[in-house]
Amino acid sequence: MDLAPITKWDLLYDHSICAVLMKQPHKAKFQQFINEKNIKLMFQYLWELDAAHNDLLNVKIKPPSKNEALSEDLRKQGNKFYQKKKFQQALEKYNMCIMVAPHPDTTQGENSAEMPVLLEDHDTANYKKLALGFANRSAVLYDLKQYGKAISDIDRALKFGYPQILHCKLAERKAKCLIGLKKHKEAKALLQKTITALSSLTVADTRKSLEKLEASCLTDSSVMEQHTSDEPYEDPLSRNISSLSNDELLFAFKTPPPPILKDVNSNIPAFSSALDLTYSENSGRSVIAARDIKPGELIGVEAPYTIMLKFDDPANMRKFCCVCAARCLTPLPCTHCNLVIFCSDYCRTEGIAKFHQVECCILPTLIELDMGTTSILTYRVLAQIPLPQLKSIIPKLEEEKHQKPRQLQGFNDQGVYDSSDYETLFHLEGNFGARDLNDLLEKCCKAFILTKMLIKSNCYFVDEHGTQFEPSLYDVILVGSTMFMHLTNIQPNSLEICEYQVVPLYNTPTGLDAMSLGGGIYPASSLFNHSCHISATRISYGCHKAIYSLSFIPKGSEVCISYGEKFFSHSIDQRRSQLLRSYKFKCNCEACTNKWPTLQFLERFPKLKPSEKMILRGATGKMAKLNPQNRKRIESYMKELFQKFHNCYLDAMKGKNYADTGAIAIEVLEFIDRFADMPCSLYTDAQEMLEFFVLEKQAPCTYVN
C-alpha cells in the first residue's frame, strides 16, 4: 500500500512499521548489527527487505506547487487591507501572494539594478500574478517609507511582465522613492524618460502628474542645502519602544550581524584564544579556559554547518530566511515551492545551489510526514555533499574513526577544527552504544525514507551533466548508512536558533523572551560539555551563535553550557531524566553531585570560602585588594556589593534606570566565584541579569506588542 503523506511519522512507525520489524527473525538480526555497531549492515538488511519497499516504507511523494488562483485571491485580500491603511496585514498578504505565484525557473538571483521603464519581453505573460504581487507590495513599502525595498519590488514587477499600460504608474512611484532617498537627479532622469515614452493616447492627468513631480525634483545645490538644514535623524528605537506605532515597529528591527571575535584561536577558529580543548577517558573532549576568563567575555562566534527553520508555524516561516535565519519582511520566493523564503538574491542563489535544489521537490512530503527537524537537517547535510565527494571522503573518515585519537578527530590535516568542514560534523558524538533497539531501528527506518527521497529528488544521483542515473547498491548503502549515522549524532548536537523579543509595555529584564525559530548544526559549539550550573551561554545572531562567559572561570577550569534545564529551575531527577532521554548520559555536574536545591529552597546570600580556597590568581582591580587574611574587610565589601546589586536589581524589575546593573552583576559573579560558596539565588539573579545585558548591548532583539 502507498502511505499517504498526511500520515504522521509517529503514528506510522508505532502502528505499522515497528509492529513488523520488531518480530523475529528481523528483531534478532537488527540486535546483532547493533551489538556489532555495524550501521552499514543494519541499513543494508532493511533496504533489501521487499516488505520495506512494497508496504512499510513506501511513501507517496507530494510535489511542490504554485497556485495562480490562490495568488490572485491573496493579492485581492491584501488590496482590501491596503485600502484601509492596515499596512502590516496588507504586507503579509502580498508576501504570500508572491510566494504562491508561478515563477520562472531559475537558479540565478534577480538583480535589483535599475530596469527599463518599458519592458518588451513577451515571455513573461505567465508570470503576471507575480509581477502584480511585487507591484502591490511596492506600494505598501512606499507608504512605510521603505524606499529602497520598494524600488527593488518595482524593478521585479517590470521584469516579470507588469502590464505595459501601467508602467508609468510604477515609474511615478519609483521616482517618489528616489526623492525619498534624496536621489533627486535620478528621479528627474527617470521622469523625463517616462514622459518622453508616453504615447499621445496617455491620459492628460497622468502626464500632468509626472511633469509636476519632475518639477518638484530639487537641484544638486538644493539637495545639499536640504541635507545641512535637516534635523538629525532619530532612530525609532532610541525612543521608548512602548511609544512606537505598529508601523514604526514593523521595520525598526533588523537581525544584527554577529559580534567579531578579535582574538581567534588558531586551531579552532570559532573559539577565542581564551579557550583550549582537552581530552580524558571519563569525560571525553572538554573545553577549558586557557587563561582566567571574566564574566561577560565573548569567547566564541560560529556560523552553522546548516540550519533548519521550524515548519509548524507557517507565519514565522514567511518571516525568516531559510539560509541565514534573518528576519525578512519582504521575502523572495523559491521558484518552485512555497515553503521557504529568502531574504536576498545572494541567499536565494546560495540556498538553491547549496541544498534547496535537492530538497525542494520532496520538502512537502517531509513536512507532512513530520519526522522532526533532525530528519530535515540530516537530509540537508547530504544534499550539500555531491555524491562523488561523499564516496571519496567517507572511507577516509571511517578509517580515522578507528585509527585517529578521539581528541584529534574532526581536525583537518593542517590541525584546524573548521566548522564549515564536513569532517567536523562526521566525528560528532552520537552515543550509538547507549541507544536501545527501538531508538536505532526508528532512525534506520527514517534513513531508509530519506534515502528514497534523495533518489526521487532526481538531483542527487546524477552524472557530471546533471542526468539522473540508477544508483548502485553500494551508492545506496553508502548514502543510507551515512544518513543513519547522522540521525544519531545530529540530534544531540544541534542547537536551537532563537530570536530575542522584548515586550514594549515591559521593557525590563523580565520582559525578555526567546522565540524558537528552528535548529542548526554547530560543530565547534558542540564541543562544550553540559552542566546544570552553567559558566557560559550561547546567543543567536540570525543563524550565527555567539558564546559569552557568565562566570569567572579560572585558567584550567572547564567551560560548560546547558543542554537542558538549569539546577535552580528543575529537580535533579527531572534534569537527569531529560538529559538521559535526549543525550544518553547521566549528569554528574557539580549541582547534581552535590544535590543543589531548586530556587525556592536556595539561600539568598552565599557564605565565604575558607581563606585557603579563595581564588586570587590573576586578580585585578578591586579583587586584588581583598586580602583573604582579612575576612572582616572581605565580609564588609561583600555586604556593600550585594546590597548595591540588590537595589539595582529591584530598580530594573520596576523598569527604572538600570544602566549600571550589568557591571555590578559582573562584579558579583566574580566575587562569588573567587571568594564565596555556591549555591545561592543571588548568583543566579546576577547571571540572568548579565545575560540580559549582553543581549541588550548587542541588540539581537525584536520588539513585539
Side-chain angles (χ1 to χ4, degrees):
M1 63 177 178
D2 280 351
L3 299 174
I6 56 172
T7 306
K8 299 297 182 184
W9 172 257
D10 288 344
L11 183 65
L12 179 63
Y13 181 77
D14 291 340
H15 291 81
S16 179
I17 301 170
C18 187
V20 173
L21 296 181
M22 288 294 276
K23 291 182 179 179
Q24 301 296 358
H26 304 313
K27 181 177 180 180
K29 293 295 292 184
F30 287 128
Q31 189 61 60
Q32 175 190 337
F33 299 137
I34 291 172
N35 293 340
E36 297 171 353
K37 296 185 178 181
N38 197 322
I39 284 179
K40 280 191 175 180
L41 285 181
M42 186 172 178
F43 181 83
Q44 183 172 347
Y45 180 85
L46 180 62
W47 188 264
E48 292 180 336
L49 283 178
D50 289 338
H53 290 277
N54 298 331
D55 298 317
L56 298 179
L57 296 166
N58 183 23
V59 177
K60 183 179 179 181
I61 299 296
K62 177 183 178 180
S65 63
K66 297 287 188 176
N67 190 320
E68 188 173 284
L70 178 58
S71 177
E72 177 64 11
D73 182 57
L74 289 166
R75 189 177 68 85
K76 289 179 178 178
Q77 292 179 41
N79 291 345
K80 291 180 180 178
F81 283 122
Y82 180 72
Q83 290 163 5
K84 297 176 182 177
K85 297 189 180 302
K86 295 183 176 182
F87 295 135
Q88 288 196 47
Q89 293 93 326
L91 185 62
E92 289 177 3
K93 295 299 180 182
Y94 291 146
N95 285 344
M96 293 168 62
C97 157
I98 291 168
M99 285 179 67
V100 304
H103 197 293
D105 184 11
T106 175
T107 58
Q108 301 300 316
E110 309 294 343
N111 292 324
S112 58
E114 183 176 348
M115 305 291 292
V117 177
L118 301 177
L119 190 72
E120 296 182 357
D121 183 359
H122 300 294
D123 293 333
T124 59
N126 293 330
Y127 310 115
K128 181 180 177 182
K129 304 304 179 187
L130 182 65
L132 292 172
F134 278 120
N136 286 25
R137 192 171 75 178
S138 74
V140 177
L141 294 171
Y142 170 74
D143 283 327
L144 291 171
K145 298 182 180 180
Q146 299 298 309
Y147 302 125
K149 291 181 172 63
I151 289 173
S152 294
D153 275 4
I154 290 168
D155 291 342
R156 289 191 171 92
L158 292 170
K159 181 168 186 175
F160 293 124
Y162 190 70
Q164 188 168 340
I165 194 172
L166 298 174
H167 280 192
C168 58
K169 176 182 176 182
L170 288 190
E172 182 178 8
R173 184 178 299 151
K174 183 172 181 177
K176 289 179 178 178
C177 290
L178 289 168
I179 292 171
L181 294 171
K182 313 296 186 187
K183 297 181 179 181
H184 291 259
K185 187 176 180 180
E186 291 181 40
K188 193 175 187 72
L190 173 63
L191 289 167
Q192 288 174 344
K193 187 176 181 180
T194 304
I195 292 168
T196 301
L198 291 177
S199 70
S200 58
L201 299 177
T202 303
V203 178
D205 286 348
T206 300
R207 181 182 293 275
K208 186 179 295 185
S209 176
L210 294 174
E211 290 173 344
K212 184 177 179 181
L213 186 59
E214 181 197 0
S216 71
C217 291
L218 300 175
T219 63
D220 289 344
S221 59
S222 299
V223 173
M224 290 298 295
E225 282 182 23
Q226 189 184 63
H227 276 303
T228 56
S229 63
D230 278 350
E231 291 294 325
Y233 171 72
E234 181 184 21
D235 185 342
L237 295 187
S238 66
R239 309 200 307 271
N240 188 320
I241 59 175
S242 62
S243 68
L244 300 181
S245 69
N246 288 349
D247 290 340
E248 284 178 312
L249 283 171
L250 188 60
F251 283 94
F253 171 78
K254 293 181 181 178
T255 301
I260 297 174
L261 197 60
K262 296 179 180 178
D263 194 7
V264 176
N265 187 306
S266 58
N267 298 118
I268 309 176
F271 289 171
S272 83
S273 61
L275 302 179
D276 203 355
L277 192 65
T278 62
Y279 178 82
S280 69
E281 289 296 331
N282 291 331
S283 57
R285 296 190 285 195
S286 303
V287 179
I288 64 167
R291 59 166 172 79
D292 288 353
I293 299 173
K294 293 178 70 69
E297 282 194 42
L298 175 67
I299 54 177
V301 177
E302 184 175 18
Y305 186 87
T306 193
I307 68 167
M308 186 67 236
L309 300 184
K310 286 183 174 180
F311 282 97
D312 56 1
D313 188 348
N316 279 332
M317 284 304 302
R318 294 191 292 268
K319 293 180 182 176
F320 296 92
C321 176
C322 71
V323 176
C324 68
R327 174 172 280 263
C328 176
L329 300 182
T330 55
L332 295 180
C334 168
T335 57
H336 290 92
C337 76
N338 54 20
L339 295 172
V340 300
I341 66 164
F342 305 92
C343 67
S344 64
D345 294 313
Y346 174 83
C347 275
R348 181 157 67 174
T349 301
E350 178 88 355
I352 290 174
K354 201 171 183 181
F355 60 83
H356 190 61
Q357 183 177 350
V358 181
E359 75 176 11
C360 184
C361 67
I362 59 87
L363 202 50
T365 309
L366 264 180
I367 291 170
E368 289 206 10
L369 273 172
D370 193 21
M371 294 199 299
T373 300
T374 300
S375 294
I376 303 181
L377 276 172
T378 299
Y379 189 94
R380 281 193 173 178
V381 167
L382 269 293
Q384 291 178 203
I385 309 174
L387 181 61
Q389 182 183 346
L390 189 74
K391 292 170 74 170
S392 68
I393 195 174
I394 290 296
K396 172 181 175 290
L397 297 179
E398 287 180 338
E399 185 179 347
E400 286 183 358
K401 245 182 182 177
H402 296 98
Q403 297 184 1
K404 204 172 188 179
R406 180 65 181 132
Q407 61 267 36
L408 299 179
Q409 291 177 12
F411 288 83
N412 61 26
D413 294 339
Q414 289 73 47
V416 176
Y417 194 89
D418 182 353
S419 301
S420 65
D421 190 337
Y422 173 72
E423 185 171 356
T424 61
L425 173 58
F426 182 89
H427 286 298
L428 290 177
E429 181 58 60
N431 290 315
F432 185 92
R435 298 179 182 275
D436 60 27
L437 171 60
N438 189 61
D439 178 41
L440 289 171
L441 180 57
E442 181 177 9
K443 286 177 171 54
C444 190
C445 291
K446 286 182 176 181
F448 182 105
I449 287 181
L450 293 175
T451 303
K452 273 208 156 189
M453 290 185 176
L454 207 55
I455 295 171
K456 292 184 178 183
S457 72
N458 299 330
C459 295
Y460 192 74
F461 294 96
V462 295
D463 60 24
E464 64 272 16
H465 303 295
T467 304
Q468 184 187 12
F469 64 82
E470 188 70 26
S472 67
L473 180 62
Y474 173 83
D475 293 337
V476 170
I477 302 307
L478 176 73
V479 170
S481 60
T482 304
M483 288 267 201
F484 185 7
M485 182 269 295
H486 282 312
L487 285 167
T488 67
N489 78 350
I490 285 178
Q491 181 268 323
N493 288 291
S494 60
L495 302 180
E496 189 176 43
I497 297 171
C498 297
E499 182 182 77
Y500 303 96
Q501 301 182 331
V502 174
V503 181
L505 294 179
Y506 306 97
N507 188 11
T508 71
T510 56
L512 181 66
D513 195 14
M515 180 178 73
S516 176
L517 303 181
I521 307 171
Y522 300 83
S525 297
S526 296
L527 296 172
F528 288 95
N529 287 326
H530 164 83
S531 174
C532 299
H533 173 46
I534 62 171
S535 55
T537 188
R538 301 160 301 197
I539 295 175
S540 298
Y541 291 79
C543 67
H544 285 73
K545 284 290 181 185
I547 303 162
Y548 289 89
S549 59
L550 289 182
S551 299
F552 171 75
I553 311 169
K555 180 179 179 180
S557 298
E558 186 171 7
V559 183
C560 293
I561 58 176
S562 173
Y563 292 2
E565 304 298 343
K566 298 171 185 175
F567 80 89
F568 55 84
S569 63
H570 289 70
S571 70
I572 182 173
D573 290 338
Q574 290 173 322
R575 301 194 310 270
R576 281 181 165 171
S577 175
Q578 184 264 325
L579 291 168
L580 188 62
R581 182 172 60 254
S582 300
Y583 299 95
K584 310 303 177 185
F585 72 86
K586 179 182 178 181
C587 183
N588 288 306
C589 70
E590 181 184 16
C592 289
T593 301
N594 295 317
K595 298 181 179 179
W596 286 2
T598 52
L599 188 61
Q600 65 187 103
F601 301 109
L602 276 180
E603 294 290 338
R604 177 62 180 164
F605 299 105
K607 296 179 180 178
L608 288 178
K609 296 176 181 178
S611 297
E612 64 273 12
K613 291 188 177 181
M614 292 181 177
I615 302 172
L616 297 178
R617 184 180 63 233
T620 58
K622 294 179 181 178
M623 298 298 175
K625 300 175 183 178
L626 299 178
N627 186 339
Q629 304 304 320
N630 191 343
R631 294 185 69 85
K632 287 186 177 180
R633 188 159 59 84
I634 295 177
E635 288 175 354
S636 175
Y637 173 80
M638 178 174 68
K639 290 178 181 178
E640 179 184 336
L641 175 63
F642 290 175
Q643 187 60 50
K644 188 176 180 181
F645 175 78
H646 181 69
N647 293 339
C648 288
Y649 186 83
L650 290 179
D651 285 345
M653 294 302 103
K654 297 174 183 176
K656 296 181 181 179
N657 181 25
Y658 48 90
D660 297 330
T661 314
I664 297 172
I666 290 174
E667 197 173 341
V668 167
L669 292 170
E670 184 170 358
F671 179 89
I672 295 176
D673 283 322
R674 286 178 182 267
F675 298 102
D677 281 322
M678 279 290 286
C680 66
S681 64
L682 184 72
Y683 193 93
T684 64
D685 286 344
Q687 277 197 327
E688 289 188 342
M689 185 65 73
L690 177 57
E691 189 168 11
F692 176 82
F693 276 93
V694 168
L695 288 170
E696 188 192 51
K697 180 181 177 183
Q698 301 296 337
C701 300
T702 186
Y703 299 86
V704 295
N705 53 13

